[in-house]
Amino acid sequence: MIPPFDDNGFLPPGIHPGTLDEIEPRFGLSTEIRQAQFQSVRWLLDTIHGQPGILRVILNGSFATDLPEPNDVDCVIL
């Protein structure tokens, strides 16, 4: 479960696992920019799906906040 935002619009420190079904309504639907950014995330995940050695994808930066218009989606592929 992805925890609630704090008073500043950030998630609490830590790693917060989530499925696409949890991430999309929380971070990818509220504005047109977020919808487009989430579609980029989906494209990335579809592209890397099944590649050997990929353990996790971490999404962070302004996308993982409550900003209506994040600058971009920061991600790390482990």
Side-chain angles (χ1 to χ4, degrees):
M1 183 178 106
I2 302 169
F5 296 117
D6 66 17
D7 292 340
N8 296 313
F10 297 104
L11 293 173
I15 297 172
H16 310 294
T19 66
L20 280 182
D21 289 339
E22 295 168 320
I23 294 167
E24 183 177 24
R26 182 73 181 276
F27 300 105
L29 294 177
S30 61
T31 64
E32 286 184 40
I33 288 175
R34 282 191 170 277
Q35 291 170 21
Q37 289 170 333
F38 186 78
Q39 289 306 311
S40 294
V41 169
R42 191 175 293 283
W43 172 86
L44 172 68
L45 296 177
D46 288 345
T47 300
I48 65 173
H49 181 75
Q51 294 297 315
I54 295 176
L55 303 173
R56 264 188 177 79
V57 175
I58 299 170
L59 303 176
N60 59 357
S62 59
F63 185 73
T65 69
D66 71 350
L67 288 174
E69 297 186 0
N71 296 326
D72 54 15
V73 180
D74 297 320
C75 67
V76 176
I77 301 170
L78 301 173

